[in-house]
């Protein structure tokens, strides 16, 4: 046996020694193909680089994440009061660091069931904003109790966790605003309460974070602005989209004139589920004893106690501002942030109650067209609550158009004068973006592969890149708190809020009165 | 193709594991080498595309997975460390396998690694009835797709080796005639 092996080894050695020229040639026969490969690779890279540089010559904008100013010069603890704790209230409280124990339990449970669900881990890692909740107020007992439980859950634990003492529950917002141990309030009540509560808070010297829209009626809009300014409080309106990275990049791209002359903006709302149409669940413990109905009504028209109206108040003009106030405002505020639109010259609206015939008075399909003759552009808002067809958000210029979501893509226009030469030379392909911004990506990539585009468009890259999700509401509250500490103006301050409210009211009045509504800028009046 | 018994190493094992050497005609050998080099080229280019794109990551591909291994692939994607390892192995694995196949260098290892990698790709996105993917495909597939065909082509190359005739393995392991 061992002899055999020796023989074989000897034979091998002999073979190796006797390598003929023929052997070497045959061994290396495919090396030229490898050479050809690298030559091909070099040519391809050169071509891509030429295309990229040719496009970059035009766009001169980096792909890096924008620098978003952070305002937090000192870390003085801020004492909060929570007013309104229905659906948005708990979300805002969580974003400030106060989650209901049952919410933590539900996150923990779904993390156990699905190891890919990182919401629990992300929530525990959410930055501590150095705030404390000293008072809560809600007209429904269960909601108020939930607010107390969330506020006491300072360690972000489940039902069996260690809580601090409950903060005081105030029966009315006025009592809460009179408290000495509260510096600032978060208001998440129905629309018809935003104005009166913000005015009262400002007069009491409390800083305000208020959910959108700013107001329910036009006259109170002026009063809110006056109260906020006179009392020198820090006011932030709850358009958390202000913190979206892609919006900052969109602003930069437009300032660098990548789109050419912008003439049309199309923004949309596309929802198709009961929750999206404001048909919220009714709490089984709700009744005239647990709800202070008169306080809910406030300045709204009198109406008999109604659970539908209490929980689904967005469906009635009596308490709501409809699609205009609830969803158009998000779209408008994004465009105002990016393009500094200001208040439009005119508005027309049309629509109707076409699907949710459940007794509501606000339309479920609405279109509003705003004209900006001084800027030579139109902004068109189109909404339906009964179709999910995604229509996105598009800013159209003569040279290019921009599709804006969490990612941002710019496509050259075939009829563009500016890009014509490069389109004709085949350097710019109008079917592919000349610029795309994907949050978390390392550098600008003018040549994006279709596959990557596909993934980016579906938010896969955005959500998981770096393993972290970004909660814009948390950032928006953080910015507000930083502004209070540094006595600065936050991004969605009272001036921006005024533009938002007036624009939304113009759309609503145009719909309700079925006429074209104008903004008289010199007299600051809607006519 | 003619199969010739050259040497019987272990008589006890019978004829099943006999050491066999395949003798190919020139045309047969040429086409085996062309197939090997082509698959190598494809691997190498896929590897370089990833290496040269600073933004490349397998994360989208992994998250798009369907089928019985999708949980496994999504777990890799959701942890930055395991994702970094998967990205590294994928990128450099493709390049090493590509070079191995093209040059006929350690080609048995290259082929087995290539089959393993392709099996992962196939199992992460099997074209089964009812599975839908975000990633667009350039053709129409039912159960059999181009990944599976490339995988079987590598199995064929494993069974019909050519690197000790044309390739570096001739220098490393000696020629087969």
């Amino acid at each position: 046996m061992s002899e055999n092996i020796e023989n074989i080894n000897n034979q091998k050695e002999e073979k190796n020694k006797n390598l003929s020229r023929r052997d070497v040639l045959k061994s290396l026969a495919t090396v030229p193909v490898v050479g050809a490969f690298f030559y091909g690779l070099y040519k391809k890279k050169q071509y891509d680089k030429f295309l990229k540089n040719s496009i970059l010559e035009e766009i001169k904008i980096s792909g890096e994440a924008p620098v978003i100013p952070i305002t937090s010069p000192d870390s003085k603890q801020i004492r909060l009061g929570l007013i309104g704790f229905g659906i948005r209230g708990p979300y805002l409280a969580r974003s400030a660091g106060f989650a209901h124990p049952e919410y933590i339990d539900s996150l923990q449970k779904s993390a156990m069931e699905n190891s890919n669900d990182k919401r629990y881990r992300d929530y525990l890692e959410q930055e501590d904003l150095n705030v404390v909740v000293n008072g809560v107020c809600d007209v429904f007992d269960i909601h108020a109790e939930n607010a107390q439980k969330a506020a006491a859950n300072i360690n972000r634990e489940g039902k069996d966790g260690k809580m601090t003492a409950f903060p005081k529950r105030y029966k009315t917002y006025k009592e809460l605003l009179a408290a000495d141990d509260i510096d600032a309030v978060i208001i998440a009540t129905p629309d018809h309460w935003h104005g009166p509560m913000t005015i009262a808070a400002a007069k009491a010297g409390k800083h305000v974070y208020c959910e959108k829209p700013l107001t329910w009626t036009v006259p109170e809009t002026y009063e809110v602005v006056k109260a906020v300014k006179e009392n020198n409080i820090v006011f932030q309106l709850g358009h958390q989209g202000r913190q979206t990275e892609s919006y900052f990049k969109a602003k930069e791209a437009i300032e660098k004139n990548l789109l050419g002359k912008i003439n049309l903006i199309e923004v949309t709302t596309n929802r198709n589920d009961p929750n999206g149409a404001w048909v919220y669940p009714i709490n089984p413990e709700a009744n005239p004893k647990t709800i202070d109905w008169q306080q809910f009504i406030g300045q709204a028209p009198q109406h008999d106690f109604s659970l539908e109206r209490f929980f689904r108040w967005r469906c009635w003009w009596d308490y709501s501002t409809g699609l205009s106030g609830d969803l158009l405002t998000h779209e408008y505020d994004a465009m105002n942030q990016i393009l500094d639109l200001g208040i439009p010259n005119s508005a027309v609206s049309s629509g109707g109650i076409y699907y949710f015939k459940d007794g509501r008075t606000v339309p479920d399909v609405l279109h509003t067209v705003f004209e900006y003759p001084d800027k030579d552009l139109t902004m068109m808002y189109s909404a339906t609550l009964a179709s999910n067809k995604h229509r996105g958000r598009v800013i159209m210029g003569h040279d290019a158009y921009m599709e804006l979501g969490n990612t941002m893509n710019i496509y050259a226009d075939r009829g563009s004068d500016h890009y014509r030469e490069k389109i004709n030379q085949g350097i710019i392909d109008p079917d592919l973006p000349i610029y795309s911004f994907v949050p978390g990506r390392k550098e600008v990539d003018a040549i994006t592969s279709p596959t990557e585009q596909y993934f980016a468009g579906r938010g896969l890259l955005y959500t998981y890149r770096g393993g972290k999700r970004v909660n814009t509401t948390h950032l928006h509250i953080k910015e507000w708190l930083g502004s209070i500490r540094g006595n600065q103006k936050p991004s969605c301050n009272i001036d921006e809020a005024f533009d938002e409210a007036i624009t939304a009211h113009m759309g609503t009045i145009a719909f309700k009165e079925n006429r074209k509504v104008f903004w008289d800028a010199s007299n600051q009046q809607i006519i | 193709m003619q199969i010739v018994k050259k040497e019987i190493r272990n008589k006890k094992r019978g004829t099943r594991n006999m050491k066999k050497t395949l003798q190919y005609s020139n045309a047969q050998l040429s086409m085996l080498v062309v197939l090997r080099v082509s698959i190598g080229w494809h691997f190498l280019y896929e590897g370089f595309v990833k290496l040269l794109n600073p933004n490349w990551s397998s994360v989208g591909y992994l998250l798009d997975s369907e089928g019985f291994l999708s949980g496994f692939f999504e777990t890799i994607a959701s942890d930055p460390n395991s994702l970094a390892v998967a990205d590294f192995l994928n990128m450099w694995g493709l390049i090493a396998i590509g070079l191995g196949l093209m040059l006929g260098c350690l080609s048995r290892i290259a082929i087995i690694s290539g089959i393993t990698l392709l099996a992962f790709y196939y199992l992460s996105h099997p074209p089964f009835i009812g599975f839908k993917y975000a990633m667009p495909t350039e053709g129409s597939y039912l159960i059999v797709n181009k990944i599976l065909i490339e995988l079987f082509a590598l199995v064929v190359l494993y069974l019909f080796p050519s690197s000790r005739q044309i390739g570096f393995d001739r220098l490393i392991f000696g020629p087969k005639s």
Side-chain angles (χ1 to χ4, degrees):
Chain A
M1 190 75 171
S2 62
E3 267 176 37
N4 272 350
I5 292 168
E6 243 170 61
N7 277 345
I8 291 167
N9 283 342
N10 287 343
Q11 277 173 9
K12 265 191 181 173
E13 274 169 30
E14 258 172 56
K15 273 179 190 167
N16 286 341
K17 276 177 201 164
N18 300 334
L19 273 179
S20 63
R21 185 184 142 80
R22 189 181 147 83
D23 282 329
V24 174
L25 279 178
K26 284 196 165 181
S27 302
L28 305 179
T30 56
V31 172
V33 189
V34 177
F37 172 87
F38 281 103
Y39 181 71
L41 186 68
Y42 170 72
K43 293 300 270 184
K44 174 83 171 76
K45 278 307 285 182
Q46 269 205 323
Y47 179 69
D48 286 352
K49 202 172 157 190
F50 165 70
L51 287 184
K52 191 170 167 173
N53 287 342
S54 308
I55 296 171
L56 285 179
E57 262 173 33
E58 299 289 348
I59 62 176
K60 293 187 176 64
I61 173 172
S62 85
E64 280 162 25
V67 182
I68 300 170
I70 294 168
T71 48
S72 187
D74 78 60
S75 57
K76 189 187 79 177
Q77 188 178 62
I78 293 172
R79 302 165 301 171
L80 296 177
L82 306 178
I83 307 176
F85 211 77
I87 294 173
R88 191 63 189 163
Y91 192 91
L92 293 171
R94 288 202 289 275
S95 302
F98 304 96
H100 194 283
E102 278 172 23
Y103 174 77
I104 298 283
D105 283 335
S106 73
L107 282 190
Q108 251 177 332
K109 189 166 167 256
S110 64
M112 298 251 278
E113 283 164 3
N114 175 10
S115 61
N116 296 322
D117 185 345
K118 304 290 182 208
R119 287 177 305 161
Y120 179 57
R121 187 194 68 186
D122 290 350
Y123 188 67
L124 292 185
E125 286 174 3
Q126 180 180 292
E127 192 187 328
D128 183 344
L129 298 178
N130 193 18
V131 284
V132 63
V133 177
N134 280 349
V136 303
C137 178
D138 196 289
V139 297
F140 176 31
D141 292 344
I142 306 297
H143 284 172
E145 211 175 283
N146 286 341
Q148 285 176 304
K149 284 181 185 163
N153 189 13
I154 54 165
N155 301 314
R156 305 183 192 184
E157 291 178 316
K159 254 193 307 208
D160 306 324
K162 202 163 164 263
M163 309 285 148
T164 58
F166 275 12
K168 188 169 179 188
R169 179 196 171 184
Y170 294 92
K171 288 283 184 185
T172 69
Y173 73 97
K174 283 187 175 153
E175 291 167 71
L176 183 144
L177 292 174
D180 290 335
D181 62 347
I182 290 172
D183 307 312
V185 290
I186 295 179
I187 300 171
T189 53
D191 296 354
H192 69 299
W193 270 115
H194 291 177
M197 284 175 176
T198 304
I199 294 166
K203 286 182 176 164
K206 316 290 187 197
H207 304 292
V208 175
Y209 181 106
C210 183
E211 262 309 313
K212 46 82 206 173
L214 178 66
T215 53
W216 180 59
T217 66
V218 179
E220 64 184 2
T221 312
Y222 302 99
E223 288 173 45
V224 173
V225 175
K226 193 169 158 238
V228 166
K229 289 191 169 173
E230 277 181 2
N231 293 285
N232 200 25
I233 62 152
V234 175
F235 177 87
Q236 174 94 301
L237 188 64
H239 286 298
Q240 69 277 5
R242 289 265 171 181
Q243 311 298 332
T244 310
E245 279 194 342
S246 59
Y247 294 1
F248 287 84
K249 289 312 273 193
K251 191 175 172 71
E252 193 184 337
I254 287 167
E255 278 165 2
K256 291 188 172 160
N257 201 26
L258 263 63
L259 304 190
K261 180 101 186 80
I262 294 167
N263 48 75
L264 179 60
I265 301 164
E266 257 188 25
V267 287
T268 61
T269 294
N270 313 280
R271 289 181 169 187
N272 197 10
D273 61 295
N275 209 50
W278 313 313
V279 186
Y280 302 126
I282 289 170
N283 191 307
E285 292 178 73
N287 57 53
K289 281 185 187 150
T290 53
I291 292 173
D292 181 349
W293 179 250
Q294 273 318 308
Q295 203 186 165
F296 167 78
I297 289 280
Q299 59 170 336
Q302 274 302 332
H303 195 281
D304 292 342
F305 180 83
S306 157
L307 287 174
E308 281 79 15
R309 282 176 171 249
F310 182 75
F311 286 99
R312 300 168 182 169
W313 55 266
R314 280 204 169 95
C315 300
W316 286 273
W317 291 122
D318 287 355
Y319 328 100
S320 160
T321 46
L323 276 163
S324 271
D326 192 39
L327 296 165
L328 179 152
T329 50
H330 273 316
E331 300 301 322
Y332 165 78
D333 188 67
M335 291 306 128
N336 195 26
Q337 173 186 359
I338 294 163
L339 292 158
D340 271 327
L341 287 179
I343 298 168
N345 176 258
S346 69
V348 287
S349 294
S350 75
I353 304 165
Y354 295 143
Y355 187 83
F356 288 94
K357 296 181 186 292
D358 52 7
R360 68 179 60 198
T361 53
V362 301
D364 55 7
V365 173
L366 177 76
H367 318 285
T368 302
V369 180
F370 298 106
E371 298 300 339
Y372 289 87
D374 52 330
K375 293 186 163 65
D376 293 320
L377 67 86
T378 293
M379 182 172 91
M380 209 171 85
Y381 171 72
S382 173
T384 169
L385 297 179
S387 168
N388 255 332
K389 158 85 178 104
H390 181 73
R391 292 177 294 168
R393 195 182 283 130
V394 195
I395 302 173
M396 285 169 256
H398 168 68
D399 292 317
Y401 69 93
M402 174 191 284
E403 285 178 345
L404 186 61
N406 283 333
T407 65
M408 185 262 282
N409 289 311
I410 297 173
Y411 295 81
D413 192 286
R414 281 179 207 283
S416 157
D417 283 314
H418 185 73
Y419 300 117
R420 178 172 298 150
E421 203 178 314
K422 289 203 161 97
I423 291 174
N424 289 343
Q425 288 168 352
I427 291 167
I428 288 177
D429 180 350
D431 294 328
L432 290 174
I434 51 169
Y435 176 84
S436 65
F437 173 73
V438 179
R441 206 160 64 173
K442 289 173 214 153
E443 65 170 46
V444 63
D445 184 14
I447 319 287
T448 314
S449 75
T451 323
E452 197 173 348
Q453 276 303 314
Y454 221 88
F455 289 137
R458 290 175 174 232
L460 285 171
L461 295 175
Y462 171 70
T463 320
Y464 283 97
R465 182 64 83 144
K468 272 215 164 187
R469 286 164 200 260
V470 182
N471 177 348
T472 47
T473 303
H474 167 73
L475 296 175
H476 206 47
I477 291 177
K478 184 181 164 186
E479 191 207 5
W480 171 59
L481 294 169
S483 302
I484 294 172
R485 290 179 179 124
N487 196 23
Q488 288 158 306
K489 267 195 168 182
S491 57
C492 205
N493 57 57
I494 193 66
D495 295 325
E496 308 286 318
F498 178 74
D499 289 356
E500 179 255 38
I502 294 295
T503 305
H505 288 315
M506 284 172 70
T508 306
I509 295 168
F511 175 79
K512 281 179 155 178
E513 298 180 9
N514 198 18
R515 69 178 176 95
K516 191 167 188 176
V517 172
F518 293 89
W519 174 243
D520 177 355
S522 48
N523 293 315
Q524 295 279 296
Q525 293 292 331
I526 295 174
I527 50 172
Chain B
M1 202 178 291
Q2 201 190 357
I3 300 172
V4 176
K5 294 176 191 171
K6 193 187 172 189
E7 180 183 309
I8 301 171
R9 272 200 172 162
N10 192 342
K11 283 180 184 170
K12 282 180 193 168
R13 286 191 187 166
T15 54
R16 270 180 307 158
N17 288 338
M18 280 187 309
K19 184 78 183 170
K20 298 167 192 167
T21 294
L22 307 171
Q23 273 198 344
Y24 310 126
S25 70
N26 278 344
Q28 285 167 339
L29 179 62
S30 302
M31 283 323 292
L32 283 171
V33 173
V34 166
L35 181 61
R36 199 188 76 207
V37 170
S38 306
I39 295 176
W41 183 298
H42 180 214
F43 270 73
L44 192 58
Y45 188 61
E46 282 284 10
F48 269 105
V49 162
K50 293 164 179 59
L51 180 68
L52 297 175
N53 177 0
N55 294 310
W56 177 81
S57 164
S58 58
V59 65
Y61 187 82
L62 291 168
L63 289 174
D64 192 30
S65 174
E66 289 267 11
F68 69 100
L69 282 181
S70 61
F72 167 68
F73 291 113
E74 280 160 16
T75 307
I76 294 177
S78 60
D79 176 57
N81 294 323
S82 64
L83 180 66
V85 171
D87 281 356
F88 181 86
L89 287 179
N90 193 15
M91 189 157 63
W92 287 104
L94 283 166
I95 290 172
I97 293 165
L99 283 173
L101 290 174
M102 288 184 83
L103 296 170
C105 180
L106 305 174
S107 61
R108 276 168 69 97
I109 300 171
I111 289 171
I112 292 167
S113 313
I115 289 171
T116 312
L117 212 50
L118 290 173
F120 274 124
Y121 297 156
Y122 180 78
L123 292 173
S124 72
H125 288 65
F128 293 167
I129 296 166
F131 287 2
K132 289 195 174 71
Y133 301 103
M135 194 174 73
T137 53
E138 87 290 16
S140 311
Y141 306 110
L142 177 66
I143 300 169
V144 174
N145 62 8
K146 287 180 186 170
I147 294 172
L148 195 64
I149 294 168
E150 195 169 25
L151 188 154
F152 288 144
L154 280 182
V155 176
V156 169
L157 289 177
Y158 183 82
L159 298 174
F160 297 86
S162 58
S163 61
R164 286 179 72 176
Q165 280 136 303
I166 304 287
F168 278 30
D169 287 344
R170 188 180 181 113
L171 285 178
I172 300 167
F173 303 109
K176 278 263 164 82
S177 56

